[in-house]
Amino acid sequence: MIQLQDVSRTFFRGSTEIHALRGASLHVRAREVIAIQGPSGSGKTTLLCMVGTLDRPTSGTIIIDGINVWNVSDQKRSYLRARTIGFVFQSYNLIPELPAWKNVALPLRYGGIALGARKRRAIDALAAVGLEDRVHHLPSQLSGGEEQRVAIARSMVIHPHLLLADEPTGNLDSQTGSQIIEQILTLSESGRTTILVVTHDPKVANRCARRLQMLDGQLHEYPTALGSSER
Amino acid sequence: MWQKALINRLSRRIMMLVGFACVAFGLTLAIAARNGVEHALDTLIEPIGRNLYRIPSWREDGSRPDEYREGFGAELFQQLERSPGIDSLCGQTIIGGTAFFVGSRSSGNYSDYQGYFVGVSAHYFALHDLSLALGRYPKVGEGAVAVVKQELVESLFDKEDPIGRTICIATDRIVEITIVGVLAPISEGLYAMSYTDCDVFVPADFVPEMVPPNPYGMSLSTGLKVMWARVDPTDPGTGLRSILDVVGDDVDVDDIRAWLGFAFTQKRHIVLLYTVSALALLFVATINAGAMGLTAIAQATHGIGIRRAIGARRFNSAVRVFLDATSWAAAGTVIGGVVAVGFVPRLERLLNFPILFNGWNLLGFIALLLFAAIAAAVPAVRAVRIPPLRAIRLTPLRHETHPLRGVGWLLTLSCIVGISAVVSVIALSDILIARIDELFAGVDRNTLVVAGGNAIRAGVSLPDSELEFADLEALSEIDGIQGILGESLVRMHGVLYNDEAMLGSLYRVHQFGDAHWPGSLLAGKLPTDQELASGTRVAVIGQTVAERHFPDTNPVGEVVDISGSLFTIIGVFNFPKSNLERTAGAWKIMIPASTVDDLNGMTLGWIRLNPTVNVEETVLRIRDTLVARHPNEAPPQVEGPAEEMGLQIAAVNGITYGLRRMSLLTLLVSAFGLGSLFWSQAVRRRRQIGIHRTLGASRRLVFWHVFRRSLATTSIAGAVAFAFGLLGVSIMTKWFYAEMSFRLTWLVWGFGSILAAASLGGGIPALWAAKRSPAETIRHGRL
């Protein structure tokens, strides 16, 4: 379903080159659930951005569902994100001036769904994460856990092929974090969704079928020795 | 990278500098032009004093009270002369125009001079500061004596002593008058009025004996049409009361300054327009300077919070912001002022005004600095009110402490000013151009026609002069002349079409410089430079020739026979007629001068002036050049819109070439302000943009999302501005005695201004927002 071939990403900070990814390769099959671990600054979030078509690699290719995503127009790439890729971030990333249901409905709007349908689907998605009584609340009126559940509802509402979660429990207490992880993993069990989770939490990683380690911009299968089972 | 950082750091400051430089430029010149007009008026009034009152025998609307149908009588004159507060009084009859001559008309051996005469009372010359070069003043009751102007003497007597000589005035009989004095040249200058500009001054009581032609249908047998009273300068109120007591308050009494001021009205209006434009620019620039300062603070709140947290005092933050903004605005003001001073000679030529600097300029400069300080003070005060804790935590600021509160409205207001300035200036110049076009039947307003001299018309005893193409070539070298289309009559007949003679006059034409064909092309094309130079046998025919000989066919492509040579008609042209030639433009058949050798008719040049030149000076240069080439011949004749309506055309050119630029500058500065606001908003919302992009918003959608806000703002501003602009134009058209009729092009300019402001204001921030990578923006700053 997802293929990363020799993907590198270099940033420039002033005149200093920063190699966030150094020839990372990865093959992910449909409905796989993968945890990506690694120290801060190792390139985990950059990898997720590459897979989510949010950032262009300096070199290498990224193929999703058979499409080389950087060979198509921005319009098509945006549509791909709106229809098939769900995102959950550590800092929730909700739009502060929009109520919960409108936040959830945003990807539907960009996917070309009519207003009536997207409101109905957004409310259903919020109900699925237990927030049916928070539909019209602004993000500032919600707790951290509720905000993250709104973010999950936003990613679920499009029935994504691929869910990318970047430290989804990082800002939450352990109990709320566990609930959130349950809700994310439910997506894989109940449907067709492939999940990539970036996490520091071993409990979360242990719930995933496959674990990858990110070190100095390169991917390694966990817990095998570095380099021997790089994919 | 450092260049980018430098641009980011300096862009707002440079915009502030440029904005204030533009304002200083506009305001400096507007004030200086106003000074110039006032100075010209003062120069005219000073010699005769400010306590001179004009007392006409008619009302303000031009009608006459019944008791003054014959003018003011001698009894009334004497009563006023004896009234308290009146230092001196004089009067004049109506001015009449006629021919003056010396010699014998019946024998044909005479010289004549077309001019004006007036009858004047005692003290007239003293009250109007008219001094003599020769002889003495005439006395009341002296009979047929006159003081004359120098031009008349030079024309009729050349260098002979005119005192004691007799001139004849031709009316229905011949009246002989003896010259007793010659006026010294009147130092009126370029801006003077011609109210004393008569050629022959006779005693007022002699006028009834002259029985001249009466252009106004009024009797000249009795009465003074205008009296002039100098009131006691120490008690002008008593003098004015005496005037009103004696003549009544039904007539249009005014002081000399007010009366002459009327002649300066159009100049004043143009200066006023420039001043209003400069003030509009000042308003826009101040708003934008303030807005830019505020957007800079809105973006720097985090830094302000950190500085405050580590010990910076509120005062320090305020002073830092204040000095930063003020210094850039002050630098802009100085630069604008210096550029304006350098621009003075060009503007003097353009506006036909003297441009003078005085204390008002200094006041304007101080006012600008004050505005700059106000523009800087608002951000400085708002900067200190930002709560440090919220700023450090990047928590959105509450409305009451947000630096950008109210900025959107102010910028919309500045946009209204910018767009209405464009619409009104465009509309006003359209209206004035239409008025001039209406008067000159489609001939470009910057056109002059030049022809050889005619002795009778010039009132000289010299042979007529004929121009040649070489003269036109010499004229084309004069500064300010873009080009000349020369035409020369070949013959009035002899062009054949299908072996039948065509009705039409054959002209040969040639172009000098970047010539312009006056009139309009109705079909086909005009000959190219190459065709004109190389002797290509092509012809352009006038409209009537085309209608008469080709009623049902298109003449373009048809062949005519001229002296055995075949010429192809390539165009039909609506050529205007000049009063200097006999053939109407519609009857002309024009061929390249290089195709024929024979010429025997008069040559005429259609001169296209550069719109930025001083028309009067250029006309003088043309005359001087031709007089030098044709000495001892009648001086050349020059006519055309540019010569006849110099003041109106200076007004139009002033508006078209100066005010249009200033209004576009106003629009540009207001668009800068909008750009600054939208840029700031886009930068502050970059993380939100990242979220939208992550969730599937395309670049196009992000662009449109940002741009439409700019478009909405400018559209609302544009609608209001359009209404304001038209209201302004409806007032201003009255200043120039024109009629306002709506044109669609104004709407186009209105929409164009809206789009331009929206594109400059919102387009660049929208492009910036659309180009952000979602990965970069989603990690950035607060929501």
Side-chain angles (χ1 to χ4, degrees):
Chain A
M1 188 215 173
I2 303 168
Q3 248 186 312
L4 270 70
Q5 290 170 354
D6 222 10
V7 172
S8 297
R9 180 69 170 101
T10 306
F11 297 105
F12 290 89
R13 191 162 293 159
S15 56
T16 313
E17 280 189 22
I18 296 166
H19 299 281
L21 290 181
R22 297 167 186 263
S25 296
L26 176 67
H27 182 82
V28 180
R29 288 180 295 277
R31 290 186 295 280
E32 257 192 306
V33 179
I34 300 174
I36 302 171
Q37 291 179 282
S40 290
S42 60
K44 306 185 294 293
T45 302
T46 304
L47 179 78
L48 223 57
C49 286
M50 295 287 154
V51 176
T53 76
L54 298 182
D55 200 7
R56 180 190 277 272
T58 311
S59 64
T61 50
I62 300 167
I63 295 165
I64 298 175
D65 288 341
I67 301 166
N68 185 337
V69 291
W70 291 100
N71 274 357
V72 296
S73 68
D74 175 73
Q75 192 84 7
K76 282 188 179 161
R77 217 165 28 247
S78 301
Y79 192 73
L80 181 79
R81 283 199 297 272
R83 300 300 290 248
T84 61
I85 305 176
F87 292 89
V88 179
F89 300 97
Q90 180 181 358
S91 51
Y92 327 132
N93 280 340
L94 302 180
I95 305 291
E97 56 262 38
L98 297 182
W101 80 265
K102 280 195 176 174
N103 263 294
V104 174
L106 270 179
L108 297 175
R109 179 180 152 195
Y110 298 134
I113 308 295
L115 176 65
R118 62 180 189 244
K119 184 167 186 181
R120 196 181 62 247
R121 281 173 64 177
I123 292 170
D124 288 348
L126 282 168
V129 294
L131 290 176
E132 57 271 42
D133 55 344
R134 294 284 192 269
V135 169
H136 296 292
H137 283 57
L138 291 172
S140 57
Q141 297 166 318
L142 301 173
S143 68
E146 285 172 331
E147 279 194 81
Q148 192 60 300
R149 278 193 279 162
V150 173
I152 291 169
R154 186 173 67 185
S155 65
M156 285 166 53
V157 76
I158 57 171
H159 307 299
H161 294 191
L162 173 64
L163 178 74
L164 302 171
D166 188 3
E167 310 231 20
T169 60
N171 283 352
L172 303 174
D173 61 74
S174 58
Q175 192 184 350
T176 314
S178 302
Q179 287 170 4
I180 294 295
I181 285 300
E182 286 304 326
Q183 282 174 340
I184 288 173
L185 295 178
T186 308
L187 275 174
S188 168
E189 290 158 10
S190 60
R192 54 180 184 167
T193 309
T194 306
I195 298 173
L196 260 72
V197 187
V198 167
T199 182
H200 283 298
D201 187 347
K203 282 186 204 161
V204 175
N206 285 335
R207 300 286 308 275
C208 300
R210 187 172 161 200
R211 294 165 69 183
L212 299 171
Q213 178 82 3
M214 195 87 200
L215 265 183
D216 296 331
Q218 291 187 316
L219 269 174
H220 308 276
E221 288 286 348
Y222 186 88
T224 52
L226 297 183
S228 60
S229 62
E230 195 176 311
R231 304 187 65 157
Chain B
M1 292 302 284
W2 67 268
Q3 295 96 327
K4 208 171 172 181
L6 191 69
I7 289 168
N8 278 340
R9 200 172 167 75
L10 289 182
S11 55
R12 274 195 198 85
R13 294 174 170 99
I14 288 170
M15 277 200 267
M16 195 176 290
L17 184 131
V18 171
F20 269 83
C22 294
V23 176
F25 178 80
L27 205 61
T28 305
L29 289 180
I31 292 173
R34 176 213 158 273
N35 295 342
V37 170
E38 292 304 308
H39 174 77
L41 183 56
D42 289 346
T43 308
L44 186 62
I45 291 169
E46 215 57 58
I48 50 179
R50 285 162 195 278
N51 297 301
L52 189 64
Y53 278 81
R54 186 186 71 134
I55 311 160
S57 54
W58 54 83
R59 299 186 185 97
E60 194 176 354
D61 62 2
S63 64
R64 282 175 180 275
D66 286 341
E67 66 267 37
Y68 299 141
R69 292 226 71 83
E70 301 293 325
F72 299 119
E75 201 176 311
L76 184 138
F77 183 87
Q78 285 162 9
Q79 186 189 348
L80 183 56
E81 202 172 22
R82 288 194 299 269
S83 298
I86 303 295
D87 269 4
S88 188
L89 184 70
C90 72
Q92 68 180 79
T93 65
I94 197 163
I95 295 171
T98 187
F100 308 94
F101 66 92
V102 290
S104 166
R105 266 191 160 184
S106 53
S107 68
N109 182 19
Y110 70 99
S111 300
D112 69 356
Y113 180 94
Q114 299 284 336
Y116 296 95
F117 70 89
V118 66
V120 297
S121 71
H123 309 306
Y124 180 86
F125 299 98
L127 270 171
H128 290 101
D129 193 41
L130 298 172
S131 54
L132 290 176
L134 284 175
R136 62 175 178 82
Y137 294 112
K139 294 171 191 157
V140 176
E142 198 177 353
V145 292
V147 161
V148 297
K149 228 167 100 173
Q150 261 188 357
E151 283 87 338
L152 179 139
V153 171
E154 283 166 13
S155 173
L156 296 183
F157 303 109
D158 198 11
K159 288 172 184 156
E160 293 173 37
D161 183 0
I163 303 299
R165 299 283 299 267
T166 301
I167 54 168
C168 298
I169 298 181
T171 60
D172 58 342
R173 63 194 173 94
I174 305 295
V175 179
E176 291 189 349
I177 295 177
T178 305
I179 296 172
V180 294
V182 178
L183 285 178
I186 301 168
S187 56
E188 291 174 322
L190 196 56
Y191 310 98
M193 275 296 302
S194 57
Y195 77 106
T196 54
D197 193 12
C198 282
D199 302 275
V200 175
F201 298 80
V202 297
D205 55 356
F206 182 67
V207 170
E209 294 180 35
M210 295 167 69
V211 197
N214 186 345
Y216 303 104
M218 288 167 49
S219 166
L220 282 169
S221 57
T222 58
L224 298 168
K225 301 311 166 197
V226 180
M227 293 188 292
W228 298 88
R230 172 161 291 140
V231 299
D232 178 1
T234 59
D235 186 13
T238 304
L240 185 56
R241 266 196 303 280
S242 294
I243 293 170
L244 296 177
D245 286 349
V246 173
V247 301
D249 53 6
D250 202 19
V251 295
D252 184 23
V253 177
D254 47 26
D255 66 44
I256 185 76
R257 185 177 172 79
W259 185 59
L260 290 188
F262 177 77
F264 284 75
T265 304
Q266 291 200 353
K267 290 183 172 93
R268 284 164 191 265
H269 283 151
I270 295 170
V271 171
L272 182 65
L273 284 175
Y274 270 83
T275 310
V276 168
S277 298
L279 289 176
L281 200 51
L282 173 64
F283 173 76
V284 169
T286 307
I287 286 180
N288 287 287
M292 284 173 199
L294 291 171
T295 51
I297 285 164
Q299 277 178 249
T301 49
H302 189 53
I304 289 171
I306 292 170
R307 281 171 200 272
R308 292 281 309 284
I310 60 176
R313 289 190 302 146
R314 284 183 170 205
F315 179 74
N316 292 346
S317 304
V319 167
R320 208 168 141 267
V321 172
F322 180 78
L323 286 182
D324 185 41
T326 317
S327 53
W328 285 91
T333 304
V334 171
I335 291 170
V338 170
V339 174
V341 171
F343 196 72
V344 164
R346 187 181 164 83
L347 197 72
E348 273 183 333
R349 281 202 304 276
L350 173 70
L351 294 181
N352 223 358
F353 303 157
I355 305 286
L356 299 172
F357 295 93
N358 64 8
W360 283 104
N361 287 91
L362 186 66
L363 274 179
F365 188 77
I366 292 167
L368 266 183
L369 291 181
L370 198 68
F371 273 95
I374 292 169
V378 176
V381 168
R382 288 192 178 182
V384 300
R385 295 192 60 198
I386 293 171
L389 194 60
R390 276 180 175 265
I392 290 170
R393 286 182 177 171
L394 295 173
T395 314
L397 298 172
R398 289 200 191 97
H399 177 74
E400 60 272 19
T401 54
H402 202 292
L404 289 180
R405 66 188 184 280
V407 169
W409 286 108
L410 279 176
L411 289 173
T412 307
L413 203 59
S414 89
C415 217
I416 289 174
V417 173
I419 296 172
S420 61
V422 172
V423 171
S424 56
V425 165
I426 295 293
L428 187 63
S429 54
D430 272 0
I431 288 168
L432 293 184
I433 289 168
R435 177 160 167 71
I436 289 167
D437 284 350
E438 185 185 49
L439 291 171
F440 288 93
V443 180
D444 183 277
R445 65 184 183 284
N446 293 302
T447 301
L448 287 174
V449 188
V450 63
N454 179 301
I456 294 172
R457 281 197 197 182
V460 294
S461 54
L462 292 169
D464 290 351
S465 61
E466 278 296 340
L467 294 189
E468 294 168 4
F469 278 168
D471 295 318
L472 301 182
E473 194 170 8
L475 292 182
S476 69
E477 304 294 323
I478 293 176
D479 271 354
I481 291 183
Q482 286 184 341
I484 304 174
L485 180 76
E487 57 160 56
S488 180
L489 178 66
V490 178
R491 55 177 179 262
M492 308 289 281
H493 52 79
V495 181
L496 304 176
Y497 173 65
N498 286 344
D499 294 331
E500 282 185 22
M502 294 177 79
L503 278 176
S505 301
L506 184 65
Y507 278 78
R508 46 186 226 127
V509 292
H510 195 70
Q511 292 183 178
F512 304 95
D514 181 17
H516 170 74
W517 287 57
S520 52
L521 186 67
L522 302 175
K525 68 180 190 76
L526 294 171
T528 61
D529 286 350
Q530 199 190 351
E531 283 168 339
L532 286 173
S534 64
T536 309
R537 288 183 176 139
V538 291
V540 173
I541 60 174
Q543 191 179 359
T544 308
V545 177
E547 285 167 0
R548 186 177 182 91
H549 293 284
F550 306 95
D552 303 316
T553 54
N554 183 355
V556 175
E558 297 293 330
V559 174
V560 293
D561 182 339
I562 300 170
S563 302
S565 301
L566 298 180
F567 285 70
T568 306
I569 298 171
I570 59 167
V572 180
F573 198 74
N574 188 7
F575 216 77
K577 180 184 181 319
S578 163
N579 292 327
L580 303 184
E581 61 186 342
R582 279 185 293 169
T583 309
W587 286 102
K588 286 178 180 171
I589 299 168
M590 291 161 284
I591 57 173
S594 50
T595 56
V596 285
D597 295 328
D598 54 330
L599 70 151
N600 49 24
M602 76 178 285
T603 297
L604 204 75
W606 295 86
I607 297 174
R608 176 80 182 277
L609 294 180
N610 185 327
T612 59
V613 298
N614 182 321
V615 175
E616 292 178 45
E617 279 179 14
T618 312
V619 169
L620 280 178
R621 282 200 200 106
I622 290 170
R623 289 206 163 111
D624 290 348
T625 305
L626 292 178
V627 167
R629 291 177 66 87
H630 296 270
N632 304 318
E633 289 180 4
Q637 302 174 83
V638 184
E639 66 150 40
E643 205 267 338
E644 289 179 33
M645 294 198 71
L647 193 64
Q648 291 271 16
I649 287 163
V652 174
N653 289 344
I655 291 166
T656 310
Y657 292 90
L659 281 178
R660 274 192 188 183
R661 280 161 180 74
M662 275 180 78
S663 64
L664 288 174
L665 209 59
T666 312
L667 184 68
L668 193 70
V669 174
S670 58
F672 275 160
L674 275 186
S676 171
L677 178 68
F678 287 117
W679 184 285
S680 164
Q681 286 180 344
V683 169
R684 284 192 309 123
R685 288 170 182 261
R686 75 164 82 166
R687 189 161 165 205
Q688 280 196 29
I689 292 167
I691 296 170
H692 285 288
R693 292 276 285 134
T694 302
L695 298 177
S698 62
R699 281 189 174 143
R700 196 184 300 170
L701 213 62
V702 169
F703 175 86
W704 177 240
H705 183 74
V706 178
F707 184 67
R708 74 180 176 189
R709 298 174 68 166
S710 162
L711 198 60
T713 307
T714 53
S715 297
I716 292 166
V720 178
F722 201 75
F724 272 121
L726 291 191
L727 184 69
V729 170
S730 70
I731 294 167
M732 289 186 285
T733 46
K734 290 185 183 115
W735 294 353
F736 297 98
Y737 312 104
E739 300 263 323
M740 181 173 153
S741 55
F742 183 78
R743 287 188 187 195
L744 271 178
T745 47
W746 304 348
L747 258 184
V748 173
W749 272 96
F751 280 123
S753 303
I754 289 171
L755 270 181
S759 304
L760 283 169
I764 296 167
L767 267 180
W768 178 87
K771 282 193 168 179
R772 294 308 91 196
S773 140
E776 172 207 332
T777 45
I778 206 160
R779 291 177 186 178
H780 194 279
R782 63 168 172 244
L783 278 163

